[in-house]
Amino acid sequence: MSKENRAGIADVAARAGVSITTVSHVLSGRRPVSDKTKAKVLRVVQELDYRPDPSARGLRTGRSEAVALVVSDVTNPFYPQMAAGLQDVLQPQGFLISICSVRENSEDLDAALRHLLDRKVDGVVLASLTAQERHYAAITDAGASLVRLSGELDPRFGDIVRADDTGGMADAVTHVLERGNRRIGFVNGDPDTAPGRLRLAGYERALRDFGVEFDESLVVSGPFTRAGGVEGAHALLALDPAPEALVCANDLIAVGALDAVRERGLAVPRDVAVTGFDDIEAASLLSPPLTTVHNPAREIGRTCARLILERLSGDPAQGAREVVLPQKLIVREST
């Protein structure tokens, strides 16, 4: 049926012999309707292939019922899990969740946000590692609810939901220290990002707690990718003496580190231990299975969704909130 000839809610009401209000109550589920009437209305909805007009609904409610998740790397398995958490909470409330992947430059993020805000999204969950204050301001100035995954809490720029990056990394380093390793290499992501800074801080804290001197030559940085892990691990394993363990800033880096270890004819964990961070699904399927820090991606997504719903239904001027979720070390065979 063309848009011009598409059945409207009045057509459904007329054929079902009920009021437009009754049809609205059946479709929204917000008011009780008898089972008999509900069945009759739903049968007519199916017969007429009726679909609510989202633009008309938006004019009534002032909402688009759409939330966007903006990420830096859609191939990172952490983000689909996070999107699933958003969906767990928002989909039953009638919201559409979209995922927008932007490359690591602020111009791409500028363009993506213009696109989303022009479409009046109700909320943005911002997981881009290159986001700056001007991007936060663009979202909040447009009236959308903002939840960030990193940065400093600022009452102007929405809420923050994150896991304990520093504590989680400290746990991973402590684990390899407790196994007798003292020369521990750290393959970090971009140190100018919040995860890079916080996880490096956890590495340094664990060394300090064990009385192990920090050695700058044992820290390398690159992208949070498998390729970054290959390059970083090769650089560290070429040192003399080589590290006894490689602690990686995320699981993708750790996968690359495992590649590099094999390329050099070494074995994990016999010659060098390897740990990751995030506990993506593939971590348990690697050979050997990867010791890592469980980063609760799905619960982070659910928490972001709840904060957005609270903003939409409550006072948008309420103070900014920061929710820090606990992490857990998962010990497997790579250490």
Side-chain angles (χ1 to χ4, degrees), residues 25 31 38 43 133 139 187 198 243-244 246 251 277 321:
H25 290 167
R31 294 288 188 278
K38 183 177 180 180
R43 184 174 65 250
E133 283 195 5
I139 296 167
V187 190
L198 294 172
E244 301 160 319
L246 296 176
D251 287 346
F277 200 107
R321 296 161 290 180

Side-chain angles (χ1 to χ4, degrees), residues 87-150:
Q87 188 176 38
D88 290 342
V89 175
L90 293 174
Q91 190 170 15
Q93 301 297 321
F95 283 75
L96 173 70
I97 300 95
S98 59
I99 302 178
C100 182
S101 181
V102 296
R103 291 175 295 183
E104 287 300 336
N105 64 72
S106 58
E107 291 77 16
D108 273 9
L109 183 54
D110 289 336
L113 290 180
R114 281 196 300 271
H115 177 86
L116 294 170
L117 297 175
D118 284 348
R119 282 152 182 77
K120 308 295 183 184
V121 294
D122 292 318
V124 176
V125 178
L126 192 56
S128 170
L129 298 177
T130 56
Q132 302 170 19
E133 283 195 5
R134 62 186 175 86
H135 299 118
Y136 309 153
I139 296 167
T140 55
D141 289 349
S145 296
L146 169 63
V147 181
R148 297 181 281 136
L149 265 63
S150 62

Side-chain angles (χ1 to χ4, degrees), residues 248-291:
C248 302
N250 75 357
D251 287 346
L252 293 181
I253 291 175
V255 172
L258 291 173
D259 292 339
V261 170
R262 281 190 290 266
E263 289 168 7
R264 301 181 81 88
L266 302 174
V268 174
R270 184 193 66 200
D271 299 312
V272 58
V274 176
T275 72
F277 200 107
D278 281 343
D279 194 27
I280 61 176
E281 185 176 3
S284 64
L285 305 176
L286 296 169
S287 180
L290 182 67
T291 292

Side-chain angles (χ1 to χ4, degrees), residues 145 158-159 307-321:
S145 296
D159 304 313
L307 291 180
I308 286 175
L309 289 177
E310 288 173 12
R311 289 287 183 189
L312 292 175
S313 62
D315 179 6
Q318 63 182 292
R321 296 161 290 180

